[in-house]
Amino acid sequence: MTFEVAGQEFALPLDVVQEILPAPAAVTAVARAEAVVLGITSVRDSLLPLLSLRGLLGFSAAPDGNENEREKVVVARIGSTHVGLVADRARAIIAADAELVDPVPPVLAARTGGESRISSIYRADGGRRLISILSPAQLFREDVMQRLAAGQSASGAQSAPEASASSQETVFLVFRLGDDEFGLPIDTVVEVAQVPERITRMPRTPKFLEGVVNLRGEVLPVVDQRKRFDMPALENQAGRRLVVIRTERHRAGLIVDGVSDVLRTGER
């Protein structure tokens, strides 16, 4: 399966490609993610992470304009995980002659940049059309592939009782940061309150730690989630809320743009 990225033609083995989709209109950003991570989208009731092939291959971002309307998502299987690789456009499905598939020249194979993702080159149309064949196992850094493999092992080792427990109803508190929505398990939420007018600053602390407040006799650290995710300050702060959460070891207040809903996931 061939596709175009930054004016060049690349390919993936067809047994890796699950389907080709138009670029989605709605993509949810992932906070503090790498530049190659464009976000996540929903495909047939499943979440699909979207990654930029331009970024993975070391190219600059695509210019804004009508060209972006032709972007396609190549849904590929990496191990047991499905990812959406965003290409500039899809090209064709070709049956490659094995005799015309050459290994990458050593000068490129030794590089550590985008070229290292290429496993071989196909000489199509009598050599007038060179197609770089990508290696799915080399698309991501080694540490990313290790995490994917670990996730595969963990999912395979899940016991039947654990799988049954995961199918029970789960309740989340949904809050907003900018145009994106996030959820917190409801059993970690103590309360939702107005943001205190006075927060005591603490010296030599991270910029996202606004300070501490006295909440009904208990000192509570307050974290500004916008600063935590490197987002600009909110102009209209009237709707901001303080979400007080508690874990086994910590208790803190999270400043968010607003609280929008309580979401219940039904039994599956």
Side-chain angles (χ1 to χ4, degrees), residues 191-234:
E191 64 176 295
V192 178
Q194 298 285 342
V195 176
E197 294 183 1
R198 182 174 180 178
I199 300 176
T200 303
R201 302 280 182 177
M202 301 294 292
R204 303 179 66 84
T205 55
K207 65 177 183 179
F208 57 80
L209 183 60
E210 284 290 285
V212 296
V213 296
N214 184 342
L215 186 67
R216 286 182 286 281
E218 183 176 1
V219 176
L220 185 75
V222 176
V223 175
D224 188 324
Q225 289 296 90
R226 275 187 165 264
K227 293 181 180 179
R228 183 71 178 84
F229 293 154
D230 294 326
M231 298 174 66
L234 188 65

Side-chain angles (χ1 to χ4, degrees), residues 1-226:
M1 174 67 208
T2 73
F3 42 85
E4 187 174 313
V5 179
Q8 300 183 40
E9 193 170 6
F10 295 87
L12 278 169
L14 192 58
D15 59 353
V16 172
V17 178
Q18 303 300 295
E19 60 182 315
I20 306 293
L21 302 173
V27 176
T28 300
V30 179
R32 301 183 70 83
E34 298 178 75
V36 298
V37 180
L38 301 177
I40 55 176
T41 189
S42 177
V43 177
R44 288 185 289 280
D45 297 326
S46 297
L47 294 179
L48 181 71
L50 298 179
L51 295 98
S52 167
L53 274 170
R54 278 180 171 262
L56 287 170
L57 297 173
F59 295 112
S60 60
D64 295 332
N66 294 334
E67 288 296 310
N68 292 346
E69 297 179 1
R70 302 176 65 181
E71 286 184 336
K72 298 295 183 183
V73 177
V74 181
V75 181
R77 186 182 69 253
I78 309 296
S80 65
T81 302
H82 288 80
V83 298
L85 304 173
V86 179
D88 293 351
R89 58 185 58 84
R91 291 289 295 270
I93 296 176
I94 61 174
D97 184 346
E99 295 184 356
L100 300 179
V101 178
D102 298 325
V104 177
V107 68
L108 294 182
R111 293 284 299 274
T112 58
E115 294 90 345
S116 65
R117 274 72 170 172
I118 301 172
S119 62
S120 52
I121 296 177
Y122 178 59
R123 294 179 282 111
D125 299 341
R128 296 185 300 274
R129 176 183 170 198
L130 299 181
I131 303 173
S132 300
I133 302 174
L134 301 176
S135 169
Q138 295 175 343
L139 271 177
F140 306 99
R141 300 192 314 267
E142 182 178 356
D143 60 323
V144 175
M145 293 304 297
Q146 289 175 349
R147 289 200 297 270
L148 289 176
Q152 180 178 3
S153 300
S155 62
Q158 185 182 44
S159 64
E162 290 173 333
S164 176
S166 65
S167 67
Q168 300 301 316
E169 182 183 69
T170 306
V171 185
F172 297 95
L173 177 76
V174 180
F175 64 87
R176 291 181 291 99
L177 286 176
D179 295 329
D180 297 320
E181 291 185 313
F182 301 85
L184 280 169
I186 199 68
D187 56 2
T188 66
V189 178
V190 178
E191 64 176 295
V192 178
Q194 298 285 342
V195 176
E197 294 183 1
R198 182 174 180 178
I199 300 176
T200 303
R201 302 280 182 177
M202 301 294 292
R204 303 179 66 84
T205 55
K207 65 177 183 179
F208 57 80
L209 183 60
E210 284 290 285
V212 296
V213 296
N214 184 342
L215 186 67
R216 286 182 286 281
E218 183 176 1
V219 176
L220 185 75
V222 176
V223 175
D224 188 324
Q225 289 296 90
R226 275 187 165 264

